């Protein structure tokens, strides 16, 4: 499993915790894009003003994280 909590990004942004508490939606589109790109997700085809695409792909990544078990 991927353990997202080990990411350097997690020090400033507790991604799994935010997802678990349904707070990931509060992130800006720019931040969601940054997180997606950190995980190697190509966001070029995503609509620039809609969070849903970013949240969907991040949700799938985060669901595979070992810290949510």
């Amino acid at each position: 499993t991927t353990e997202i909590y080990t990411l350097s990004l997690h020090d400033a942004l507790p991604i799994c915790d935010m997802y678990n508490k349904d707070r990931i939606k509060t992130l800006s589109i720019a931040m969601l894009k940054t997180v997606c790109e950190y995980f190697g997700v190509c966001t070029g085809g995503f609509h620039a003003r809609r969070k849903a695409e970013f949240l969907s792909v991040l949700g799938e990544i985060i669901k595979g994280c070992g810290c949510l078990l």
Side-chain angles (χ1 to χ4, degrees), residues 4 19 53-65 68:
I4 296 173
Y19 178 82
E53 294 168 302
F54 297 97
L55 292 171
S56 176
V57 73
L58 285 175
E60 292 303 313
I61 292 169
I62 293 168
K63 285 178 187 176
C65 178
L68 291 179

Side-chain angles (χ1 to χ4, degrees), residues 7-69:
L7 299 174
S8 59
L9 187 61
H10 187 269
D11 292 335
L13 189 66
I15 300 167
C16 295
D17 187 51
M18 290 180 78
Y19 178 82
N20 197 31
K21 294 178 180 176
D22 202 30
R23 292 185 184 161
I24 199 164
K25 296 174 186 175
T26 64
L27 295 177
S28 69
I29 291 174
M31 182 57 75
L32 291 170
K33 182 178 180 181
T34 299
V35 175
C36 285
E37 289 172 351
Y38 183 87
F39 287 109
V41 175
C42 178
T43 59
F46 289 10
H47 192 277
R49 295 184 183 205
R50 294 190 183 145
K51 289 185 178 184
E53 294 168 302
F54 297 97
L55 292 171
S56 176
V57 73
L58 285 175
E60 292 303 313
I61 292 169
I62 293 168
K63 285 178 187 176
C65 178
C67 72
L68 291 179
L69 299 177

